[in-house]
Amino acid sequence: ALPIWLGWLCLAGLRRGGYVVFENPTIEELRRDPGRNLRRDYLLETGELRRLFSDFEIVEYAEGPGEKGQIVARLLARKP
């Protein structure tokens, strides 16, 4: 997973009406697999991704198992 601040750097160039797709593991992933070596500061809290994009039109949002079974937050949003 990439640090959240890196995602924000990418958003700086996003034009009005542009879309962003974002997926990142959540803190629930540590609970699912406590032995896994994950950096806590790279994981999202429950609902955090939705709050971070509250100024955007959220087209699709979900939290739960991803393709590889990881617990992730997924977002598709449009910049107003």
Side-chain angles (χ1 to χ4, degrees):
L2 296 174
I4 290 294
W5 60 265
L6 187 55
W8 286 115
L9 286 177
C10 296
L11 289 178
L14 186 64
R15 292 183 181 173
R16 173 180 274 179
Y19 287 86
V20 61
V21 176
F22 204 99
E23 179 175 291
N24 200 82
T26 69
I27 189 68
E28 295 299 319
E29 181 60 17
L30 284 180
R31 293 183 184 107
R32 184 190 73 83
D33 188 358
R36 187 150 178 227
N37 186 19
L38 291 172
R39 288 192 51 174
R40 170 67 183 88
D41 53 332
Y42 285 7
L43 302 176
L44 293 166
E45 296 290 340
T46 301
E48 182 178 8
L49 189 58
R50 183 184 291 274
R51 287 189 303 275
L52 289 170
F53 284 89
S54 63
D55 292 344
F56 282 60
E57 173 193 340
I58 297 177
V59 177
E60 210 171 299
Y61 182 82
E63 290 187 21
E67 290 182 19
K68 297 179 183 177
Q70 267 188 324
I71 307 300
V72 297
R74 292 180 292 293
L75 171 109
L76 170 63
R78 186 180 150 281
K79 188 173 184 178

